[in-house]
């Protein structure tokens, strides 16, 4: 690596602080402007679009971010400073993003230095150790442009910078494609659920004499009129507790080490996947069989819906494997023919209704009475089975995409420090090297 030159970020970049947008203009309804916050940075770096903070007020033009801009987070609220100092590239699609305070905008002093390369450099463990090691604050961790720019490293030639970036970008692009596909698949399933079980689309179409828009065998499953209760004839409104069984969670004593770090995944709200990824494969904490036997925690099978009920309320996931969960969550399993997919979508519909009833404010808790107080039209088992047959392949594809994305992310994270240190050169990244990484 004789052509790699010792360098420092101070020689290559400037970092501009963001603007202190006024809190009076922060809103909980969707607007065209989104404030970038530390919550938009993924652990390990990269941009997250699943937690958007909307803004409805005046915007200085110089604090509007552009697609392709490189940004860095300079504050972190978590105990482990999970995202402090990590970088992200502003995505091409989506709402207008605003350069908020505590977010740094990175600009290159040298046009020959690729922002893409710098972005990946600012995701390496060596860089992160430098930033976290010099951070200030105990509860809230802070860094600064000066501290970030202290990082020193070996800079490869421009052509190799581009090759490294292209290799890592390819992995990230595939992960993003999977995320977008999952978004579409989940939206399709949600739309079908709403049409059949909330809006009663096929029944109303029959009543109006419209042309059938489902296959004949499906079309015949729907009645041709609404009953007195306003639901399809032969159906009934039932509380959600008649649609699915509600199972409470538990937490083994944290003071007993033998109960923790075992083979059993233990779900808490921090393990919630992004909305479109649906499935949870692994959890931050695990417990032992002894922990199960000495607490109220229960193991539920793969396919069970988990919903957070206290604190951060309404987050959902489907268990990708058998797991257990804490007392701030419920597990939901279908009754009377309701499939796992129906339960997941019905729980989401319930959350949407609760948000609507709360007039936009965040509801604070879900209890068993909440489930008893909300009703949903209950179809017969034949329709449940027809629905499962259609949506199950959609959810299976989502699950496969999430599993593939986990593998791609793991490969990317293993390759990143090796490529950035020169331990592996781009020309050596064959399938053999990937598998050995």
């Amino acid at each position: 690596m004789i052509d790699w030159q010792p360098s420092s970020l101070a020689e290559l970049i400037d970092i501009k602080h963001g603007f202190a947008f006024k809190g009076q203009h922060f809103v909980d309804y969707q607007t065209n402007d989104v404030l970038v916050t530390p919550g938009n940075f993924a652990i390990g770096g990269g941009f997250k679009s699943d937690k958007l903070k909307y803004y409805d007020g005046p915007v200085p033009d110089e604090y509007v971010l552009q697609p392709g801009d490189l940004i860095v987070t300079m504050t972190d609220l978590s105990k482990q400073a999970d995202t402090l100092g990590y970088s992200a590239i502003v995505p091409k699609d989506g709402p207008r993003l605003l350069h908020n305070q505590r977010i740094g905008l990175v600009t290159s002093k040298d046009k020959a230095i690729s922002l893409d390369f710098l972005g990946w450099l600012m995701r390496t463990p060596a860089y992160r150790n430098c930033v976290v090691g010099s951070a200030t604050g105990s509860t809230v961790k802070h860094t600064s442009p000066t501290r970030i720019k202290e990082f020193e490293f070996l800079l490869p030639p421009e052509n190799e910078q581009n090759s490294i970036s292209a290799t890592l970008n390819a992995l990230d692009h595939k992960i993003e494609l999977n995320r977008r596909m999952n978004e579409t698949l989940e939206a399709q399933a949600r739309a079908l659920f709403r049409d059949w079980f909330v809006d009663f689309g096929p029944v109303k179409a029959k009543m109006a004499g419209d042309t059938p828009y489902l296959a004949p065998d499906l079309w015949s499953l729907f009645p041709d009129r609404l009953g007195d209760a306003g639901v399809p004839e032969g159906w009934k409104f039932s509380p959600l507790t008649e649609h699915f069984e509600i199972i409470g969670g538990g937490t083994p004593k944290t003071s007993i080490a033998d109960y923790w770090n075992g083979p059993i995944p233990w779900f808490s709200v921090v393990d919630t996947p992004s909305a479109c990824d649906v499935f949870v494969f692994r959890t931050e904490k695990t417990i032992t069989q002894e922990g199960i036997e000495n607490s109220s925690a229960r193991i539920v099978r793969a396919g069970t819906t988990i919903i957070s009920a206290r604190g951060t309320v309404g987050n959902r996931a489907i268990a990708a494997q058998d797991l257990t969960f804490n007392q701030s969550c419920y597990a939901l399993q279908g009754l009377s023919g309701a499939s796992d997919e129906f339960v997941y979508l019905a729980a989401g519909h319930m959350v949407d209704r609760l948000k609507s009833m709360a007039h936009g404010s965040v509801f604070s808790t879900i209890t068993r009475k909440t489930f008893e107080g909300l009703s949903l039209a209950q179809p017969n088992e034949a329709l449940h089975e027809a629905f499962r047959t259609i949506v199950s392949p959609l959810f299976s594809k989502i699950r496969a995409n999430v599993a593939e994305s986990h593998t791609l992310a793991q490969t990317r994270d293993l390759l990143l420090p090796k490529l950035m240190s020169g331990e592996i050169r781009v020309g050596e990244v064959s399938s053999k090297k990937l598998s050995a990484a």
Side-chain angles (χ1 to χ4, degrees):
M1 297 193 304
I2 58 174
D3 50 350
W4 289 42
Q5 301 298 316
S7 187
S8 70
L9 286 177
E11 299 169 11
L12 303 176
I13 64 171
D14 284 318
I15 300 177
K16 174 186 170 183
H17 280 290
F19 182 71
F21 290 90
K22 293 187 181 301
Q24 67 194 76
H25 299 299
F26 298 177
V27 295
D28 56 10
Y29 54 83
Q30 188 169 342
T31 68
N32 291 327
D33 288 328
V34 169
L35 293 166
V36 175
T37 71
N40 294 121
F41 290 76
I43 296 175
F47 195 84
K48 282 172 53 183
S49 300
D50 56 338
K51 292 181 179 177
L52 301 182
K53 191 177 188 68
Y54 292 105
Y55 178 83
D56 192 0
V59 177
D61 290 341
E62 63 269 34
Y63 291 98
V64 175
L65 295 169
Q66 302 300 318
D69 279 349
L70 177 62
I71 52 178
V72 59
T73 178
M74 296 190 290
T75 291
D76 193 303
L77 297 172
S78 66
K79 291 180 181 176
Q80 291 78 28
D82 287 336
T83 61
L84 185 71
Y86 274 130
S87 67
I89 298 290
V90 173
K92 294 178 180 177
D93 303 322
R96 186 168 74 159
L97 298 178
L98 306 182
H99 184 194
N100 198 11
Q101 62 180 341
R102 304 310 302 159
I103 302 298
L105 174 62
V106 179
T107 54
S108 174
K109 295 178 179 178
D110 184 346
K111 292 183 178 178
I113 303 300
S114 158
L115 277 180
D116 253 0
F117 174 81
L118 290 173
W120 285 111
L121 180 74
M122 296 169 73
R123 295 171 66 171
T124 58
Y127 160 80
R128 269 275 295 169
N129 290 340
C130 175
V131 171
V132 174
S134 63
T136 59
S138 52
T139 304
V140 179
K141 299 286 195 306
H142 300 284
T143 187
S144 67
T146 300
R147 290 189 175 89
I148 289 173
K149 290 194 290 186
E150 288 173 352
F151 179 63
E152 297 179 344
F153 58 98
L154 289 175
L155 179 66
E158 184 179 359
N159 63 335
E160 196 154 0
Q161 293 173 35
N162 293 332
S163 298
I164 291 171
S165 301
T167 300
L168 296 168
N169 284 343
L171 294 168
D172 254 12
H173 288 164
K174 175 56 179 165
I175 293 171
E176 175 62 13
L177 283 175
N178 284 346
R179 188 194 67 79
R180 292 187 182 191
M181 185 187 299
N182 286 352
E183 202 170 59
T184 301
L185 293 168
E186 197 272 344
Q188 289 174 346
R190 191 158 23 91
L192 188 68
F193 175 89
R194 183 168 188 87
D195 183 52
W196 285 21
F197 304 120
V198 178
D199 295 335
F200 314 131
V203 178
K204 291 179 179 177
K206 282 188 174 184
M207 294 170 65
D210 294 342
T211 302
Y213 60 84
L214 297 172
D217 57 328
L218 293 175
W219 197 247
S220 65
L221 294 175
F222 291 88
D224 56 9
R225 69 184 68 184
L226 297 176
D228 294 338
V231 297
E233 192 173 61
W235 299 18
K236 63 177 182 178
F237 266 127
S238 302
L240 292 177
T241 46
E242 293 186 18
H243 290 269
F244 38 71
E245 180 185 5
I246 301 168
I247 303 168
T251 302
K253 286 185 177 177
T254 55
S255 58
I256 300 179
D258 288 346
Y259 294 171
W260 295 91
N261 300 315
I264 304 168
W266 182 78
F267 181 93
S268 66
V269 69
V270 299
D271 301 306
T272 307
S274 63
C276 62
D277 282 346
V278 178
F279 290 89
V280 56
F281 278 80
R282 56 178 67 92
T283 57
E284 184 178 291
K285 296 181 180 178
T286 58
I287 63 175
T288 62
Q289 184 61 37
E290 192 176 357
I292 290 283
E293 293 168 356
N294 290 281
S295 73
S296 58
R298 294 174 56 182
I299 295 177
V300 293
R301 61 168 175 78
T304 300
T305 290
I306 311 292
I307 185 168
S308 60
R310 283 182 284 278
T312 302
V313 175
N315 285 8
R316 292 171 299 142
I318 293 180
Q321 60 177 316
D322 294 355
L323 54 70
T324 186
F325 52 98
N326 73 5
Q327 71 274 18
S328 294
C329 299
Y330 290 118
L332 310 176
Q333 293 181 341
L335 300 170
S336 304
S339 64
D340 291 339
E341 296 82 6
F342 178 93
V343 171
Y344 177 80
L345 294 165
H349 176 64
M350 178 196 72
V351 170
D352 290 342
R353 285 181 62 187
L354 286 172
K355 287 180 177 177
S356 173
M357 292 160 62
H359 302 288
S361 63
V362 178
F363 47 97
S364 60
T365 187
I366 293 174
T367 67
R368 290 177 185 273
K369 284 189 176 179
T370 307
F371 292 102
E372 292 170 358
L374 292 175
S375 296
L376 185 68
Q378 191 164 35
N380 56 39
E381 293 198 13
L383 255 175
H384 267 310
E385 178 57 24
F387 183 73
R388 187 199 64 77
T389 301
I390 294 175
V391 300
S392 181
L394 304 182
F395 278 80
S396 293
K397 181 58 179 171
I398 291 173
R399 189 184 189 285
N401 285 342
V402 173
E404 182 185 50
S405 292
H406 284 169
T407 301
L408 291 169
Q410 188 177 37
T411 301
R412 178 200 62 201
D413 295 344
L414 288 169
L415 278 177
L416 176 60
K418 295 177 185 292
L419 287 171
M420 287 296 184
S421 67
E423 181 182 343
I424 291 179
R425 310 298 285 270
V426 171
E428 300 171 353
V429 183
S430 62
S431 57
K432 182 177 178 181
K433 289 286 184 183
L434 285 170
S435 62

